[in-house]
Amino acid sequence: MSQSFKKVHAITGMKDILPDTSHEWLALESLMQQWLAAYGYRNIRTPVLEHTRLFARGIGEVTDIVEKEMYSFTDVLNNDRLTMRPEFTAGIVRAAIEHNMLYDRPHRLYTQGPVFRHERPQRGRYRQFHQISVEALGMPGPDIDAEHILMLARLWKMLGLDDIRLELNCLGQSAERAAHRQALIAYLEKHVDILDEDARRRMYTNPLRVLDTKNPALQTMANEAPALEQFLGDESRAHFQGVRDRLDEAGIAYKLNPRLVRGLDYYNLTVFEWITDRLGAQGTVCGGGRYDDLFALLGGKPAPATGFAIGLERLLDLWAQARPIAHPAECQVYLIHQGDAAQRVAMQVAEQLRDNDLRVIVHAGSTGFKSQFRRADASGAKAAVIIGPDELTAGTASVKWLRADAASAQQQQAIELADLATYLKTKV
Ligand code: HAM
């Protein structure tokens, strides 16, 4: 007796990508491969699971991600604290340090895959989502920050997306931020009476984030707070100007946003986000910037680095709005058969066709000709190849063209099995 089993559902915020939409992912991924290759970026793949302390240290203890969004657990077999990666950058830097990758050359790298954050799910915000993360390790100049932005502008163009806007900011160096932070804390202390609970909780741990408040009552206070810009030294200014000059030369428009602080603590100098109004509340398609302190923070030799990540669900949503992404045909040739002997021959014939680079489905399941033809038609195949009892005896196959645009004939045509591949290849 089978026991009753309560049906299992996917975990909230974690989506199945079914075959009806997976072709959109494949189309996007293949276009992105071309895009990355055009700039010479090479693939790196790091584990989904890392030690929790990598992210706590790398992303920052007082960030939303580390404070409340990580899928962390204790590995009961050895008591290790592990976390499912909430992003790629910390893992890639860990790998670069571990394998001493920067000892003789810099690297342009990319990776792609699922990342995990325990956020409140809504459109464009999931608990398992996908990023493509691009990282340039070992390159200090503003040229590489600009390269990333140019690259992204090209991607939007390749995808036919024209309403993603760029916001840019310079976070300076840690000493400059420390001086600003002191001034900011002093300012917040002066206004402590009007601060909400969230702001009070953060004013000593992450005062910059206080300025990010959504509370309307705090906007004036936030607007009049001391700006980081006033604390930037010559080198930081020159770096940022170097990025801006290159963007101007490339004709890339941007808005300076002094409030842009990003949700991860590892950034310095350039930070940026690409934002659209077409996705509702979750309009940030891409975010990134420079993170020159992360190597040292994670115990490596100091090394400059910069990068960005695109949220692929959001990008795909935008792309699908811009133009429908056609469903590719499941195959070129759909093989229909009747009877056990014909099925066996069909299987062999299909292998021969595949030897000739044709994409072939051999019907399986229901046996009626009518339902087989229906499946053949739905598959998007250009030709149905039929092997029934008559064809079996004659050593032939009948070919029926299924699409109006396919090679002429409405009629079925009998072709010798030996000639079938050549015949089909010239016409599908
Ligand atoms: P991030 O801004 O945390 O940056 O994430 C990058 C992108 O991932 C966002 O702009 C957004 O499109 C997407 N995203 C974030 N959270 C979610 C979510 N819950 N559901 C769907 N999409 C989401 C980083 O992760 C950095 N590692 C980027 C970077 C790389 N900086 C330097 N190198």
Side-chain angles (χ1 to χ4, degrees):
M1 276 267 279
S2 70
Q3 288 198 321
S4 73
F5 178 70
K6 191 160 174 278
K7 252 195 282 169
V8 182
H9 295 280
I11 294 167
T12 305
M14 304 204 179
K15 292 214 298 189
D16 297 310
I17 300 170
L18 300 177
D20 272 349
T21 46
S22 63
H23 70 283
E24 299 178 358
W25 285 83
L26 290 170
L28 183 66
E29 283 158 8
S30 118
L31 200 132
M32 287 188 149
Q33 291 296 326
Q34 287 174 36
W35 166 64
L36 290 157
Y39 290 84
Y41 281 73
R42 298 190 304 156
N43 188 228
I44 181 168
R45 300 178 189 208
T46 58
V48 171
L49 279 182
E50 297 273 6
H51 290 286
T52 302
R53 59 200 187 85
L54 171 71
F55 300 117
R57 175 81 165 179
I59 297 172
E61 294 278 4
V62 292
T63 57
D64 280 352
I65 297 179
V66 172
E67 276 186 345
K68 52 190 187 207
E69 295 170 0
M70 297 207 300
Y71 282 90
S72 298
F73 60 92
T74 303
D75 181 342
V76 291
L77 299 178
N78 57 8
N79 272 333
D80 281 348
R81 283 296 287 167
L82 304 179
T83 293
M84 299 182 68
R85 61 182 180 210
E87 58 112 41
F88 284 106
T89 312
I92 289 176
V93 170
R94 194 254 324 126
I97 295 170
E98 190 166 336
H99 303 287
N100 197 17
M101 281 172 66
L102 291 182
Y103 84 101
D104 66 342
R105 58 164 291 183
H107 287 276
R108 287 178 162 87
L109 303 172
Y110 77 91
T111 196
Q112 186 195 322
V115 292
F116 305 85
R117 294 184 193 174
H118 197 116
E119 295 190 80
R120 200 169 43 77
Q122 62 179 86
R123 177 179 175 195
R125 187 163 71 194
Y126 309 101
R127 291 181 177 172
Q128 173 176 311
F129 61 100
H130 296 77
Q131 283 186 344
I132 190 151
S133 198
V134 170
E135 316 290 351
L137 309 182
M139 290 166 255
D143 51 344
I144 193 79
D145 301 8
E147 173 174 298
H148 283 173
I149 292 170
L150 261 63
M151 231 176 134
L152 286 157
R154 177 178 294 273
L155 179 64
W156 313 146
K157 203 167 152 202
M158 284 168 82
L159 293 167
L161 306 174
D162 52 14
D163 48 10
I164 311 181
R165 60 181 187 275
L166 173 61
E167 294 196 355
L168 201 60
N169 190 19
C170 178
L171 297 184
Q173 301 293 11
S174 58
E176 293 156 0
R177 284 196 304 280
H180 173 235
R181 188 189 147 96
Q182 284 313 315
L184 197 57
I185 291 174
Y187 176 83
L188 292 170
E189 281 172 340
K190 264 202 313 203
H191 292 84
V192 70
D193 296 351
I194 62 160
L195 297 186
D196 58 22
E197 196 192 324
D198 200 42
R200 281 186 198 177
R201 191 174 58 84
R202 279 195 161 136
M203 63 183 278
Y204 294 105
T205 52
N206 201 345
L208 260 185
R209 288 300 296 276
V210 175
L211 304 186
D212 232 8
T213 177
K214 303 261 180 308
N215 184 347
L218 298 183
Q219 292 308 320
T220 317
M221 179 283 301
N223 287 338
E224 288 167 8
L228 174 60
E229 215 269 329
Q230 301 151 14
F231 295 80
L232 297 183
D234 290 347
E235 277 188 33
S236 295
R237 285 175 199 277
H239 184 99
F240 197 43
Q241 194 56 48
V243 179
R244 294 180 61 182
D245 288 346
R246 285 168 177 82
L247 298 188
D248 293 342
E249 281 152 24
I252 293 174
Y254 57 85
K255 188 180 134 206
L256 290 178
N257 178 359
R259 290 284 184 75
L260 183 63
V261 289
R262 312 270 303 124
L264 308 93
D265 279 354
Y266 48 59
Y267 293 106
N268 68 317
L269 294 174
T270 321
V271 287
F272 62 86
E273 281 182 354
W274 291 85
I275 302 158
T276 178
D277 295 326
R278 292 189 174 255
L279 294 177
Q282 303 304 315
T284 309
V285 182
C286 170
R290 189 158 273 285
Y291 50 95
D292 296 327
D293 299 329
L294 189 54
F295 272 80
L297 197 65
L298 295 178
K301 253 177 62 187
T306 187
F308 63 82
I310 303 173
L312 292 181
E313 280 78 4
R314 294 183 192 176
L315 185 59
L316 208 55
D317 189 346
L318 258 188
W319 195 32
Q321 285 179 40
R323 61 171 193 148
I325 303 154
H327 236 292
E330 292 165 33
C331 61
Q332 296 166 299
V333 176
Y334 197 97
L335 249 157
I336 289 172
H337 48 81
Q338 202 161 47
D340 193 53
Q343 195 282 336
R344 290 167 183 212
V345 172
M347 237 171 157
Q348 289 179 23
V349 168
E351 287 302 322
Q352 286 163 15
L353 299 182
R354 293 179 188 120
D355 287 343
N356 285 275
D357 299 325
L358 288 160
R359 293 180 287 111
V360 186
I361 290 179
V362 182
H363 182 84
S366 56
T367 51
F369 265 131
K370 214 165 153 191
S371 71
Q372 294 197 54
F373 269 111
R374 220 178 298 125
R375 266 302 311 143
D377 202 36
S379 75
K382 285 205 170 151
V385 167
I386 304 112
I387 303 180
D390 296 346
E391 286 87 356
L392 206 55
T393 321
T396 59
S398 298
V399 177
K400 184 171 176 7
W401 294 101
L402 299 171
R403 315 270 146 221
D405 65 335
S408 59
Q410 304 294 319
Q411 305 275 353
Q412 282 184 204
Q413 200 174 348
I415 308 288
E416 296 283 328
L417 286 185
D419 302 331
L420 187 62
T422 319
Y423 173 74
L424 289 170
K425 269 199 89 161
T426 55
K427 300 205 160 124
V428 292

